[in-house]
Amino acid sequence: GAPLLEEPKVKALAEKYTVSPNVILTSYHILSGRIVVARSSNKDRVKDFINLAELTKEEIEELDQIGIENPQRFINEDWGIGLGFEHWKTTPSWEEKK
């Protein structure tokens, strides 16, 4: 249910590198200098955690634009709200969505 897995640019890069969209997103964050704490109950996705796509600087910049052009969080938890991330638009909390 992660919307970024359906992002056309992410899917195109996954096809180019012959990996899953999860690998593209994990690679993007790691190559951008961020720590990734991946979690899944799906053993095939867990096996993907060791893969890394060698994204180019230009591809990383293109992926950056996804969040700059349409900044939003795709989780229901309130963690991180108010921390001052420049391009982080909050979404209604889980309770507000009911």
Side-chain angles (χ1 to χ4, degrees), residues 37 39 72-83 88-97:
V37 180
R39 63 182 187 184
Q72 54 187 307
R73 298 178 76 224
F74 294 110
I75 60 173
N76 294 322
E77 301 160 0
D78 289 335
W79 184 90
I81 293 176
L83 291 179
W88 202 340
K89 176 174 63 179
T90 60
T91 56
S93 70
W94 181 254
E95 291 299 317
E96 293 171 0
K97 291 179 185 180

mmCIF file of all heavy atoms in Angstrom, residues 37 39 72-83 88-97:
data_model
loop_
_atom_site.group_PDB
_atom_site.id
_atom_site.type_symbol
_atom_site.label_atom_id
_atom_site.label_comp_id
_atom_site.label_asym_id
_atom_site.label_seq_id
_atom_site.Cartn_x
_atom_site.Cartn_y
_atom_site.Cartn_z
ATOM 1 N N VAL A 37 15.794 2.143 7.949
ATOM 2 C CA VAL A 37 15.387 1.047 8.817
ATOM 3 C C VAL A 37 14.191 0.399 8.128
ATOM 4 O O VAL A 37 13.057 0.840 8.287
ATOM 5 C CB VAL A 37 15.020 1.534 10.238
ATOM 6 C CG1 VAL A 37 14.613 0.365 11.112
ATOM 7 C CG2 VAL A 37 16.171 2.311 10.844
ATOM 8 N N ARG A 39 11.445 -2.472 7.161
ATOM 9 C CA ARG A 39 10.717 -3.491 7.904
ATOM 10 C C ARG A 39 9.702 -4.140 6.971
ATOM 11 O O ARG A 39 9.126 -3.489 6.100
ATOM 12 C CB ARG A 39 10.032 -2.904 9.130
ATOM 13 C CG ARG A 39 8.973 -1.867 8.798
ATOM 14 C CD ARG A 39 8.371 -1.297 10.037
ATOM 15 N NE ARG A 39 7.242 -0.442 9.674
ATOM 16 C CZ ARG A 39 6.552 0.253 10.517
ATOM 17 N NH1 ARG A 39 6.859 0.216 11.795
ATOM 18 N NH2 ARG A 39 5.548 0.987 10.126
ATOM 19 N N GLN A 72 4.593 15.155 0.920
ATOM 20 C CA GLN A 72 3.624 14.591 1.853
ATOM 21 C C GLN A 72 4.200 13.359 2.519
ATOM 22 O O GLN A 72 5.146 12.768 2.032
ATOM 23 C CB GLN A 72 2.318 14.266 1.164
ATOM 24 C CG GLN A 72 2.437 13.395 -0.043
ATOM 25 C CD GLN A 72 1.114 13.265 -0.759
ATOM 26 O OE1 GLN A 72 0.113 12.918 -0.157
ATOM 27 N NE2 GLN A 72 1.107 13.557 -2.027
ATOM 28 N N ARG A 73 3.607 12.991 3.637
ATOM 29 C CA ARG A 73 4.006 11.791 4.353
ATOM 30 C C ARG A 73 3.021 10.695 4.001
ATOM 31 O O ARG A 73 1.836 10.944 3.871
ATOM 32 C CB ARG A 73 3.970 12.046 5.862
ATOM 33 C CG ARG A 73 4.937 13.127 6.286
ATOM 34 C CD ARG A 73 4.850 13.391 7.775
ATOM 35 N NE ARG A 73 5.516 12.322 8.487
ATOM 36 C CZ ARG A 73 5.008 11.746 9.558
ATOM 37 N NH1 ARG A 73 3.853 12.109 10.047
ATOM 38 N NH2 ARG A 73 5.662 10.795 10.164
ATOM 39 N N PHE A 74 3.482 9.481 3.886
ATOM 40 C CA PHE A 74 2.627 8.372 3.530
ATOM 41 C C PHE A 74 2.500 7.361 4.652
ATOM 42 O O PHE A 74 2.410 6.176 4.416
ATOM 43 C CB PHE A 74 3.155 7.679 2.275
ATOM 44 C CG PHE A 74 3.096 8.542 1.053
ATOM 45 C CD1 PHE A 74 4.246 9.018 0.475
ATOM 46 C CD2 PHE A 74 1.886 8.885 0.491
ATOM 47 C CE1 PHE A 74 4.205 9.796 -0.660
ATOM 48 C CE2 PHE A 74 1.820 9.672 -0.637
ATOM 49 C CZ PHE A 74 2.975 10.127 -1.210
ATOM 50 N N ILE A 75 2.520 7.811 5.894
ATOM 51 C CA ILE A 75 2.326 6.923 7.032
ATOM 52 C C ILE A 75 1.290 7.543 7.941
ATOM 53 O O ILE A 75 0.996 8.733 7.857
ATOM 54 C CB ILE A 75 3.639 6.659 7.796
ATOM 55 C CG1 ILE A 75 4.230 7.970 8.338
ATOM 56 C CG2 ILE A 75 4.657 5.944 6.935
ATOM 57 C CD1 ILE A 75 5.420 7.777 9.239
ATOM 58 N N ASN A 76 0.730 6.740 8.827
ATOM 59 C CA ASN A 76 -0.309 7.224 9.724
ATOM 60 C C ASN A 76 0.229 7.704 11.061
ATOM 61 O O ASN A 76 -0.485 8.314 11.824
ATOM 62 C CB ASN A 76 -1.340 6.116 9.968
ATOM 63 C CG ASN A 76 -2.089 5.785 8.706
ATOM 64 O OD1 ASN A 76 -2.397 6.671 7.922
ATOM 65 N ND2 ASN A 76 -2.374 4.518 8.502
ATOM 66 N N GLU A 77 1.476 7.402 11.355
ATOM 67 C CA GLU A 77 2.057 7.790 12.633
ATOM 68 C C GLU A 77 2.394 9.273 12.640
ATOM 69 O O GLU A 77 2.712 9.853 11.602
ATOM 70 C CB GLU A 77 3.311 6.965 12.889
ATOM 71 C CG GLU A 77 3.026 5.467 12.899
ATOM 72 C CD GLU A 77 4.270 4.630 12.671
ATOM 73 O OE1 GLU A 77 5.362 5.195 12.503
ATOM 74 O OE2 GLU A 77 4.131 3.407 12.649
ATOM 75 N N ASP A 78 2.336 9.892 13.796
ATOM 76 C CA ASP A 78 2.629 11.319 13.907
ATOM 77 C C ASP A 78 4.104 11.611 14.139
ATOM 78 O O ASP A 78 4.486 12.753 14.348
ATOM 79 C CB ASP A 78 1.814 11.936 15.049
ATOM 80 C CG ASP A 78 0.350 12.021 14.704
ATOM 81 O OD1 ASP A 78 0.019 12.074 13.504
ATOM 82 O OD2 ASP A 78 -0.478 12.021 15.629
ATOM 83 N N TRP A 79 4.973 10.584 14.102
ATOM 84 C CA TRP A 79 6.384 10.805 14.341
ATOM 85 C C TRP A 79 6.932 11.801 13.335
ATOM 86 O O TRP A 79 6.661 11.735 12.153
ATOM 87 C CB TRP A 79 7.178 9.512 14.216
ATOM 88 C CG TRP A 79 8.609 9.718 14.553
ATOM 89 C CD1 TRP A 79 9.175 9.597 15.778
ATOM 90 C CD2 TRP A 79 9.645 10.148 13.674
ATOM 91 N NE1 TRP A 79 10.501 9.912 15.725
ATOM 92 C CE2 TRP A 79 10.816 10.267 14.427
ATOM 93 C CE3 TRP A 79 9.712 10.471 12.338
ATOM 94 C CZ2 TRP A 79 12.032 10.658 13.897
ATOM 95 C CZ3 TRP A 79 10.927 10.871 11.806
ATOM 96 C CH2 TRP A 79 12.061 10.947 12.583
ATOM 97 N N GLY A 80 7.727 12.726 13.791
ATOM 98 C CA GLY A 80 8.408 13.658 12.914
ATOM 99 C C GLY A 80 7.673 14.958 12.667
ATOM 100 O O GLY A 80 8.257 15.913 12.181
ATOM 101 N N ILE A 81 6.401 15.012 13.006
ATOM 102 C CA ILE A 81 5.649 16.245 12.788
ATOM 103 C C ILE A 81 6.226 17.331 13.699
ATOM 104 O O ILE A 81 6.459 17.117 14.877
ATOM 105 C CB ILE A 81 4.147 16.036 13.058
ATOM 106 C CG1 ILE A 81 3.589 15.092 11.994
ATOM 107 C CG2 ILE A 81 3.393 17.354 13.080
ATOM 108 C CD1 ILE A 81 2.145 14.718 12.193
ATOM 109 N N GLY A 82 6.462 18.479 13.131
ATOM 110 C CA GLY A 82 6.981 19.594 13.916
ATOM 111 C C GLY A 82 8.492 19.618 14.036
ATOM 112 O O GLY A 82 9.041 20.448 14.754
ATOM 113 N N LEU A 83 9.195 18.726 13.349
ATOM 114 C CA LEU A 83 10.651 18.717 13.423
ATOM 115 C C LEU A 83 11.286 19.721 12.473
ATOM 116 O O LEU A 83 12.489 19.908 12.488
ATOM 117 C CB LEU A 83 11.205 17.314 13.145
ATOM 118 C CG LEU A 83 10.910 16.264 14.213
ATOM 119 C CD1 LEU A 83 11.491 14.917 13.797
ATOM 120 C CD2 LEU A 83 11.473 16.660 15.570
ATOM 121 N N TRP A 88 8.046 18.920 4.067
ATOM 122 C CA TRP A 88 7.261 17.866 4.682
ATOM 123 C C TRP A 88 5.871 18.376 5.040
ATOM 124 O O TRP A 88 5.675 19.003 6.066
ATOM 125 C CB TRP A 88 7.950 17.367 5.929
ATOM 126 C CG TRP A 88 7.543 16.005 6.358
ATOM 127 C CD1 TRP A 88 6.421 15.325 6.022
ATOM 128 C CD2 TRP A 88 8.264 15.158 7.236
ATOM 129 N NE1 TRP A 88 6.395 14.108 6.609
ATOM 130 C CE2 TRP A 88 7.519 13.976 7.369
ATOM 131 C CE3 TRP A 88 9.456 15.281 7.913
ATOM 132 C CZ2 TRP A 88 7.936 12.920 8.160
ATOM 133 C CZ3 TRP A 88 9.858 14.244 8.688
ATOM 134 C CH2 TRP A 88 9.116 13.073 8.813
ATOM 135 N N LYS A 89 4.928 18.117 4.176
ATOM 136 C CA LYS A 89 3.542 18.472 4.433
ATOM 137 C C LYS A 89 2.907 17.322 5.205
ATOM 138 O O LYS A 89 3.015 16.172 4.818
ATOM 139 C CB LYS A 89 2.814 18.688 3.101
ATOM 140 C CG LYS A 89 1.347 18.978 3.230
ATOM 141 C CD LYS A 89 0.726 19.325 1.893
ATOM 142 C CE LYS A 89 0.819 18.164 0.923
ATOM 143 N NZ LYS A 89 0.219 18.406 -0.376
ATOM 144 N N THR A 90 2.231 17.611 6.289
ATOM 145 C CA THR A 90 1.617 16.548 7.072
ATOM 146 C C THR A 90 0.273 16.163 6.471
ATOM 147 O O THR A 90 -0.351 16.917 5.742
ATOM 148 C CB THR A 90 1.416 16.990 8.531
ATOM 149 O OG1 THR A 90 0.564 18.127 8.555
ATOM 150 C CG2 THR A 90 2.741 17.323 9.182
ATOM 151 N N THR A 91 -0.158 14.966 6.804
ATOM 152 C CA THR A 91 -1.454 14.481 6.374
ATOM 153 C C THR A 91 -2.324 14.313 7.609
ATOM 154 O O THR A 91 -1.819 14.253 8.729
ATOM 155 C CB THR A 91 -1.324 13.135 5.636
ATOM 156 O OG1 THR A 91 -0.656 12.213 6.486
ATOM 157 C CG2 THR A 91 -0.545 13.294 4.349
ATOM 158 N N PRO A 92 -3.637 14.219 7.429
ATOM 159 C CA PRO A 92 -4.499 14.026 8.603
ATOM 160 C C PRO A 92 -4.107 12.767 9.355
ATOM 161 O O PRO A 92 -3.685 11.777 8.758
ATOM 162 C CB PRO A 92 -5.897 13.878 7.994
ATOM 163 C CG PRO A 92 -5.807 14.474 6.647
ATOM 164 C CD PRO A 92 -4.387 14.293 6.195
ATOM 165 N N SER A 93 -4.256 12.799 10.662
ATOM 166 C CA SER A 93 -3.902 11.635 11.457
ATOM 167 C C SER A 93 -4.896 10.504 11.192
ATOM 168 O O SER A 93 -5.960 10.706 10.602
ATOM 169 C CB SER A 93 -3.921 11.981 12.954
ATOM 170 O OG SER A 93 -5.247 12.183 13.378
ATOM 171 N N TRP A 94 -4.537 9.325 11.624
ATOM 172 C CA TRP A 94 -5.374 8.144 11.442
ATOM 173 C C TRP A 94 -6.767 8.384 12.030
ATOM 174 O O TRP A 94 -7.773 8.026 11.436
ATOM 175 C CB TRP A 94 -4.690 6.950 12.081
ATOM 176 C CG TRP A 94 -5.457 5.689 11.921
ATOM 177 C CD1 TRP A 94 -6.164 5.033 12.872
ATOM 178 C CD2 TRP A 94 -5.619 4.923 10.721
ATOM 179 N NE1 TRP A 94 -6.739 3.906 12.350
ATOM 180 C CE2 TRP A 94 -6.415 3.829 11.016
ATOM 181 C CE3 TRP A 94 -5.167 5.079 9.421
ATOM 182 C CZ2 TRP A 94 -6.787 2.867 10.089
ATOM 183 C CZ3 TRP A 94 -5.523 4.121 8.488
ATOM 184 C CH2 TRP A 94 -6.312 3.041 8.826
ATOM 185 N N GLU A 95 -6.828 8.982 13.204
ATOM 186 C CA GLU A 95 -8.116 9.241 13.843
ATOM 187 C C GLU A 95 -8.982 10.170 13.022
ATOM 188 O O GLU A 95 -10.182 10.012 12.935
ATOM 189 C CB GLU A 95 -7.913 9.810 15.258
ATOM 190 C CG GLU A 95 -7.334 8.817 16.244
ATOM 191 C CD GLU A 95 -8.238 7.589 16.439
ATOM 192 O OE1 GLU A 95 -9.466 7.768 16.542
ATOM 193 O OE2 GLU A 95 -7.688 6.471 16.484
ATOM 194 N N GLU A 96 -8.384 11.175 12.388
ATOM 195 C CA GLU A 96 -9.137 12.112 11.575
ATOM 196 C C GLU A 96 -9.661 11.463 10.294
ATOM 197 O O GLU A 96 -10.643 11.911 9.734
ATOM 198 C CB GLU A 96 -8.269 13.320 11.204
ATOM 199 C CG GLU A 96 -7.894 14.180 12.394
ATOM 200 C CD GLU A 96 -6.863 15.242 12.045
ATOM 201 O OE1 GLU A 96 -6.452 15.307 10.874
ATOM 202 O OE2 GLU A 96 -6.473 15.985 12.936
ATOM 203 N N LYS A 97 -9.029 10.390 9.841
ATOM 204 C CA LYS A 97 -9.443 9.715 8.605
ATOM 205 C C LYS A 97 -10.651 8.801 8.830
ATOM 206 O O LYS A 97 -11.310 8.436 7.874
ATOM 207 C CB LYS A 97 -8.289 8.888 8.044
ATOM 208 C CG LYS A 97 -7.159 9.728 7.523
ATOM 209 C CD LYS A 97 -6.055 8.847 7.004
ATOM 210 C CE LYS A 97 -4.861 9.681 6.596
ATOM 211 N NZ LYS A 97 -3.775 8.855 6.103
#
